[in-house]
DNA sequence: AATTCGGGGAC
DNA sequence: GTCCCAGAATT
C-alpha cells in the first residue's frame, strides 16, 4: 500500500503525462518548424558561450525586441570575457542603463571576473561550476550548457512552462517552485539528444511566436497534433499562474539642486537593494518628512544647504513591486558640506555620463528641453 | 515559500 | 488598467 501511494505521487504521474504524446514525432515536428521559422537574432550568429551567456542574462524577464539594441552595444563594448572582466562597474552599468534588474549586470561582471581568473577566461561547460557563478540560476545554466555546449540539459523559462503546460495539459501553478522542477523533469525527457541546442531554443521560439500567452496561434502550431490542451480546448486557461499582489505607493520630492555655476547635485544609490549603484537626483520621502522640515532634513541627511524653489512637474513610475510618485522641484544650492563621494556636483552635460534609472532619465532629459513639460 | 529585484509592450 | 516577459537572489 505504501508502495502504491508513493508512485501515484511521483514517477508514475510523470510517465503518464509523457505517454500521451509520441516523443520522437514531437521532436521532429518541433525542430523542422524551428529550422524554417527561427528568427535571425544577434546571439544566434554563433555558439560562443560568452555571447550566449550575456544574451541569456539580458533576456531574463525581458523581451527579445528590448534586448537586441542593448546586446549589440554591450558586445561591441565588451566583446570578450576579458574585456568585461576589466571594465569599470560604472561603465558596465551605463551600458545597462534602462534595461532594468541592474543586479544582473553587476552579477554578470562578478561572474565573468571569476571565469577570467579561475577558469582562464573559458566559460565552464560543467553544470556545477556554471551554477556556482553569480547570477547563473537553473535556467541560465541549462541555456548555456544546451545552446552553447550542446548538452541535453533542460532550460525551463516562462515560454517552456507555457508550452509544456499546454502540450501536456499540466494545471499546476507555475509560480510554485516545485512546479518548475516538475517541468525540468519533463523537459529533460523530451529534449532531443541529437540537437539539444536547437531543441531548447525551438520550445522558446514556439512560445514566443505561436504558443503565446493570449490568443495562441494553434492553427499554425507545428505540434498541435501533440497538444493535450488543444484537444480539451483549454489552451487559453493554461498555464495556471497565481496573480501577483499590488504594488506599494511611495511619494518623493526630487530635488534639482543647482549651484551658482549651474552644476547639479546627484547622488549614487546604495550598493544593494533597488537600483543599486545607480545615480539619481536627491529624493526626499515626503510621507516621512514634513514640508516645513524639508530643507532641514536635506541638510541633516545629505549635508546640503538648499532653499526650495518652484515645482517643475510630477511623474509616476511603476516598478514590479512598488510605484514611485515623484514631484520635481528646483532648489538653490547654497552650500555643500558633505565630502562623500556618493554625492557629486556635475554640469548639465556631464549628467549623461552617469547611469540613471528611467524615472531620473526622464527628469534629466527634461533639463535639455527649453519647455519643461513633464 | 514569499519577497525583492525594472522596464516596456501588447491588449 | 492587466499581463508577463529566454529568472535569480535573498529572506
Amino acid at each position: 500500500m505504501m508502495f502504491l501511494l508513493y508512485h501515484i505521487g511521483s514517477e508514475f504521474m510523470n510517465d503518464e503525462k509523457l505517454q500521451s504524446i509520441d516523443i520522437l514525432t514531437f521532436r521532429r515536428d518541433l525542430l523542422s518548424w524551428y529550422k524554417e521559422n527561427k528568427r535571425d537574432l544577434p546571439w544566434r550568429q554563433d555558439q560562443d558561450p560568452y555571447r550566449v551567456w550575456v544574451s541569456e542574462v539580458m533576456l531574463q524577464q525581458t523581451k527579445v525586441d528590448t534586448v537586441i539594441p542593448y546586446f549589440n552595444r554591450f558586445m561591441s563594448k565588451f566583446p570578450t570575457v576579458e574585456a568585461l572582466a576589466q571594465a569599470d562597474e560604472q561603465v558596465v552599468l551605463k551600458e545597462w542603463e534602462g534595461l532594468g534588474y541592474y543586479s544582473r549586470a553587476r552579477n554578470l561582471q562578478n561572474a565573468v571576473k571569476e571565469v577570467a581568473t579561475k577558469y582562464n577566461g573559458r566559460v565552464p561547460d560543467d553544470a556545477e561550476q556554471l551554477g556556482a557563478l553569480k547570477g547563473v540560476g537553473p535556467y541560465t545554466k541549462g541555456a548555456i550548457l544546451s545552446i552553447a555546449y550542446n548538452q541535453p540539459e533542460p532550460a525551463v523559462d516562462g515560454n517552456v512552462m507555457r508550452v509544456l503546460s499546454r502540450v501536456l495539459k499540466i494545471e499546476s501553478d507555475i509560480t510554485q517552485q516545485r512546479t518548475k522542477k516538475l517541468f525540468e523533469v519533463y523537459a529533460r525527457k523530451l529534449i532531443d539528444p541529437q540537437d539539444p541546442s536547437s531543441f531548447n531554443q525551438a520550445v522558446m521560439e514556439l512560445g514566443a511566436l505561436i504558443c503565446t500567452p493570449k490568443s495562441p496561434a494553434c492553427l499554425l502550431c507545428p505540434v498541435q497534433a501533440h497538444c493535450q490542451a488543444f484537444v480539451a480546448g483549454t489552451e487559453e486557461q493554461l498555464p495556471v499562474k497565481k496573480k501577483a499582489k499590488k504594488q506599494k505607493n511611495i511619494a518623493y520630492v526630487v530635488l534639482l539642486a543647482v549651484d551658482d555655476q549651474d552644476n547639479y547635485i546627484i547622488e549614487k544609490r546604495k550598493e544593494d537593494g533597488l537600483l543599486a549603484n545607480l545615480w539619481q537626483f536627491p529624493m526626499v520621502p515626503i510621507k516621512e518628512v514634513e514640508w516645513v522640515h524639508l530643507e532641514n532634513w536635506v541638510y541633516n541627511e545629505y549635508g546640503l544647504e538648499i532653499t526650495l524653489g518652484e515645482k517643475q512637474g510630477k511623474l509616476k513610475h511603476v516598478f514590479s513591486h512598488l510605484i514611485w510618485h515623484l514631484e520635481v522641484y528646483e532648489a538653490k544650492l547654497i552650500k555643500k558640506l558633505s565630502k562623500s563621494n556618493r554625492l557629486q556636483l556635475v554640469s548639465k552635460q556631464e549628467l549623461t555620463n552617469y547611469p540613471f534609472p528611467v524615472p531620473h532619465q526622464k527628469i534629466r532629459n527634461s533639463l535639455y528641453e527649453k519647455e519643461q513639460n513633464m
Side-chain angles (χ1 to χ4, degrees):
Chain A
M1 184 59 90
M2 292 281 284
F3 178 81
L4 184 59
L5 287 172
Y6 175 80
H7 278 76
I8 287 174
S10 56
E11 294 302 322
F12 178 74
M13 295 292 284
N14 294 343
D15 289 345
E16 187 188 43
K17 288 289 184 187
L18 287 175
Q19 278 169 12
S20 64
I21 68 169
D22 176 355
I23 293 181
L24 293 180
T25 313
F26 175 82
R27 289 171 183 161
R28 176 172 55 85
D29 293 344
L30 177 63
L31 283 170
S32 62
W33 171 84
Y34 176 66
K35 292 183 194 314
E36 288 299 314
N37 295 281
K38 67 176 178 182
R39 291 168 291 180
D40 184 16
L41 300 173
W43 45 90
R44 286 182 178 161
Q45 291 170 2
D46 53 46
Q47 290 182 294
D48 176 0
Y50 170 66
R51 291 172 60 87
V52 170
W53 184 7
V54 171
S55 73
E56 291 304 338
V57 173
M58 286 189 170
L59 286 161
Q60 288 168 12
Q61 299 294 287
T62 311
K63 289 209 164 62
V64 165
D65 290 341
T66 303
V67 167
I68 289 173
Y70 281 92
F71 179 81
N72 287 330
R73 286 194 299 266
F74 198 91
M75 293 312 304
S76 85
K77 191 124 187 172
F78 315 113
T80 62
V81 165
E82 288 72 23
L84 182 55
Q86 291 166 12
D88 184 272
E89 185 194 278
Q90 285 291 306
V91 177
V92 177
L93 284 174
K94 184 65 190 177
E95 290 304 308
W96 211 271
E97 184 184 52
L99 194 55
Y101 285 147
Y102 299 94
S103 66
R104 290 184 296 176
R106 303 201 305 135
N107 287 337
L108 174 62
Q109 196 195 14
N110 181 306
V112 160
K113 284 180 175 176
E114 184 174 343
V115 168
T117 58
K118 190 186 291 187
Y119 302 117
N120 198 23
R122 171 158 171 74
V123 179
D125 60 0
D126 173 81
E128 269 195 45
Q129 293 177 342
L130 214 43
L133 297 170
K134 290 279 196 311
V136 179
Y139 166 75
T140 305
K141 176 178 64 179
I144 295 171
L145 290 174
S146 60
I147 297 173
Y149 290 122
N150 297 306
Q151 294 182 28
E153 292 292 318
V156 174
D157 70 335
N159 286 310
V160 175
M161 288 196 283
R162 184 172 57 259
V163 170
L164 293 189
S165 73
R166 288 169 175 170
V167 170
L168 301 177
K169 196 166 169 292
I170 294 169
E171 294 164 329
S172 313
D173 178 3
I174 64 168
T175 67
Q176 298 293 310
Q177 211 166 52
R178 61 175 171 276
T179 303
K180 189 183 171 189
K181 287 183 179 174
L182 185 63
F183 281 110
E184 285 170 350
V185 172
Y186 289 132
R188 190 178 291 279
K189 295 182 179 179
L190 286 172
I191 192 168
D192 187 345
Q194 302 300 318
D195 192 352
S197 177
S198 296
F199 182 88
N200 279 350
Q201 293 184 79
V203 180
M204 293 187 275
E205 197 78 340
L206 188 71
L209 301 180
I210 302 288
C211 196
T212 49
K214 291 167 206 161
S215 306
C218 299
L219 296 182
L220 301 176
C221 182
V223 296
Q224 184 205 93
H226 306 281
C227 186
Q228 296 307 300
F230 184 78
V231 171
T234 58
E235 65 274 6
E236 298 249 30
Q237 329 302 333
L238 295 172
V240 174
K241 186 176 185 180
K242 189 178 61 183
K243 277 192 232 179
K245 61 175 194 176
K246 282 198 302 186
Q247 303 100 322
K248 291 177 180 174
N249 294 283
I250 310 179
Y252 292 98
V253 164
V254 179
L255 296 173
L256 295 174
V258 189
D259 71 2
D260 52 13
Q261 298 181 55
D262 222 32
N263 294 313
Y264 289 81
I265 284 283
I266 57 173
E267 67 165 322
K268 192 178 186 180
R269 292 179 59 89
K270 298 199 312 272
E271 61 183 338
D272 56 17
L274 183 66
L275 306 170
N277 282 354
L278 270 67
W279 291 78
Q280 65 181 21
F281 301 104
M283 302 211 300
V284 182
I286 204 58
K287 191 166 186 180
E288 306 165 20
V289 182
E290 304 284 343
W291 279 93
V292 276
H293 298 143
L294 191 146
E295 292 173 351
N296 219 313
W297 186 89
V298 171
Y299 183 86
N300 292 325
E301 197 76 14
Y302 283 101
L304 296 175
E305 189 179 333
I306 65 161
T307 56
L308 197 60
E310 287 187 3
K311 181 173 177 177
Q312 297 296 306
K314 63 177 179 180
L315 68 93
K316 183 175 80 168
H317 187 78
V318 179
F319 295 91
S320 310
H321 62 299
L322 53 88
I323 302 177
W324 277 1
H325 300 267
L326 306 181
E327 285 188 88
V328 183
Y329 277 79
E330 272 188 338
K332 186 168 292 182
L333 179 66
I334 310 299
K335 191 179 292 182
K336 173 172 176 288
L337 298 100
S338 169
K339 301 293 185 189
S340 167
N341 57 9
R342 299 188 86 82
L343 213 52
Q344 295 280 342
L345 199 48
V346 304
S347 73
K348 188 187 291 188
Q349 296 309 320
E350 290 170 333
L351 288 173
T352 56
N353 297 334
Y354 296 80
F356 275 41
V358 164
H360 286 265
Q361 284 181 50
K362 290 177 178 171
I363 297 168
R364 181 175 64 188
N365 289 340
S366 75
L367 300 176
Y368 304 113
E369 302 165 6
K370 290 297 180 189
E371 299 296 328
Q372 299 189 347
N373 44 0
M374 301 197 315

